[in-house]
Amino acid sequence: MYNVKVFITLKESVLDPQGAAVKDSLHRLTYNAVEDVRIGKYIELTLKKEDGDIDQQVREICEKLLANTVIEDYTYEIEEDIPQ
Amino acid sequence: MRFAVIVFPGSNCDIDMYHAIKDELGEEVEYVWHDDQDLKQFDGILIPGGFSYGDYLRSGSIARFSNVMESIYEANQAGKPILGVCNGFQILLEAGLLPGAMQRNAKLKFICKQVELEVMNNETMFTSAYEKGEKITIPVAHGEGNYYCDEATYTKLSHNNQIAFTYADNINGSRHGIAGITNEKGNVLGMMPHPERAVDQLLGSADGLKLFQSIVKTWREAHVVSS
């Protein structure tokens, strides 16, 4: 099995209203050192091992459904499960 | 003229849309379940508002892979009028039938009220019954109606006259106050405000009715030979 961690963030050029609201809230709690907050998504996938390129498969999944590449960027980490 | 109202799990403005067409416009209309494939018998496609698939992941992102979408792409190829309202607009963006993407409202509030729109282009099959620059009152009800596109896309939209409606007061932070856009060919319109909820004075405004009348008028001119 593969464990895949996908991180989706808004592109830097896109304003993040949720992040801005959380930043304001942190400032109200006097955490004034917080310069910026960006909110994204974290998605875990468990994939069966099949023939073919795992990287390519994950990229396809991300671009087709998980991320909207008009406004979002994505990164991912793939871990391979070693059977005990 | 025969309209289809596409129903997804989570659609909740489908009945308003059906009512607007059947009772106020006086045309034929049928519900079509999202798993059905064939739309050939319909002349116009209406994608209503709501929360298709619970808005999980992103608004409209899952609906865009429904079986019915293949037929919607075909209807687009055939140049049939396709109107997406609210979640319907979000689905059209996710499906790539219109450019851009939708974000949470700039002030993060769900906005539910009558708003004033300006008709930017009255030379589309959806807006020909309006005057250019006409101010109309149509209700909105959305939390994710903040339309985003990059500057190059905006220039293209602007240049091709694809901006159909703008908000008189930019309520949700949309790029340049955009409330509704068409595709380049002009047969697909997506808009966040709900024209189907403004079809009778009893509802506070009847300004939405002209949008549906525009569609019918264009269709009749093309399909009904006058004697």
Side-chain angles (χ1 to χ4, degrees):
Chain A
M1 300 289 250
Y2 291 111
N3 293 320
V4 182
K5 295 171 177 172
V6 181
F7 304 91
I8 295 163
T9 49
L10 279 172
K11 284 186 177 169
E12 281 195 25
S13 56
V14 177
L15 288 172
D16 177 1
Q18 250 179 306
V22 172
K23 186 180 87 175
D24 286 350
S25 180
L26 288 170
H27 286 179
R28 272 199 300 278
L29 294 170
T30 71
Y31 295 107
N32 295 314
V34 177
E35 287 269 352
D36 196 18
V37 179
R38 307 279 290 172
I39 292 183
K41 286 176 201 153
Y42 167 59
I43 298 170
E44 286 183 348
L45 307 172
T46 310
L47 269 82
K48 270 192 277 208
K49 271 193 189 170
E50 283 173 355
D51 292 340
D53 185 349
I54 175 77
D55 263 292
Q56 196 194 329
Q57 202 180 353
V58 172
R59 275 200 300 273
E60 216 176 281
I61 288 171
C62 287
E63 292 192 13
K64 239 186 205 169
L65 181 63
L66 301 187
N68 180 339
T69 53
V70 176
I71 49 172
E72 293 170 330
D73 287 327
Y74 67 90
T75 57
Y76 57 88
E77 293 168 4
I78 300 175
E79 272 173 26
E80 209 175 327
D81 253 4
I82 296 148
Q84 300 298 310
Chain B
M1 190 173 174
R2 200 161 187 210
F3 287 94
V5 174
I6 313 296
V7 184
F8 294 93
S11 294
N12 65 15
C13 304
D14 43 344
I15 298 171
D16 301 273
M17 197 68 100
Y18 188 96
H19 163 78
I21 302 300
K22 192 174 177 70
D23 304 320
E24 304 290 345
L25 191 69
E27 296 292 324
E28 284 181 62
V29 58
E30 266 179 55
Y31 293 117
V32 174
W33 183 235
H34 72 111
D35 247 349
D36 295 344
Q37 299 233 7
D38 197 2
L39 292 172
K40 285 195 185 69
Q41 53 176 321
F42 297 102
D43 309 307
I45 316 295
L46 307 168
I47 311 177
F51 295 86
S52 58
Y53 295 88
D55 268 0
Y56 296 143
L57 193 64
R58 293 181 311 275
S59 308
S61 62
I62 300 178
R64 133 200 200 349
F65 292 104
S66 282
N67 278 338
V68 80
M69 289 308 291
E70 275 307 314
S71 311
I72 292 178
Y73 288 119
E74 277 169 30
N76 175 43
Q77 288 295 322
K80 288 184 188 177
I82 300 171
L83 169 68
V85 170
C86 201
N87 190 231
F89 185 12
Q90 294 162 339
I91 293 169
L92 290 173
L93 292 172
E94 286 283 341
L97 285 164
L98 292 172
M102 216 47 97
Q103 266 207 286
R104 307 261 317 249
N105 292 344
K107 289 183 181 158
L108 296 173
K109 261 174 70 176
F110 189 96
I111 307 166
C112 182
K113 62 176 184 182
Q114 299 271 18
V115 298
E116 196 175 65
L117 303 180
E118 187 174 344
V119 179
M120 300 301 284
N121 181 2
N122 72 335
E123 291 173 3
T124 79
M125 65 167 83
F126 303 94
T127 56
S128 58
Y130 296 108
E131 301 292 325
K132 186 173 162 58
E134 189 176 337
K135 299 277 172 55
I136 59 173
T137 302
I138 307 273
V140 295
H142 60 248
E144 284 184 48
N146 179 353
Y147 176 77
Y148 172 85
C149 64
D150 59 27
E151 232 14 71
T153 307
Y154 174 73
T155 307
K156 206 171 150 203
L157 287 175
S158 214
H159 182 76
N160 295 334
N161 262 329
Q162 287 172 252
I163 301 165
F165 302 106
T166 55
Y167 299 104
D169 172 21
N170 191 357
I171 50 164
N172 52 25
S174 289
R175 242 307 126 107
H176 302 283
I178 287 174
I181 53 169
T182 65
N183 62 345
E184 221 173 312
K185 210 161 60 171
N187 67 304
V188 179
L189 171 69
M191 62 190 292
M192 286 314 291
H194 289 268
E196 79 284 6
R197 291 186 187 170
V199 288
D200 191 311
Q201 279 306 335
L202 200 63
L203 300 169
S205 167
D207 289 348
L209 196 56
K210 280 190 198 169
L211 189 147
F212 299 105
Q213 287 166 341
S214 303
I215 304 175
V216 175
K217 184 171 162 273
T218 309
W219 184 81
R220 292 240 156 90
E221 282 165 3
H223 293 90
V224 182
V225 182
S226 53
S227 52

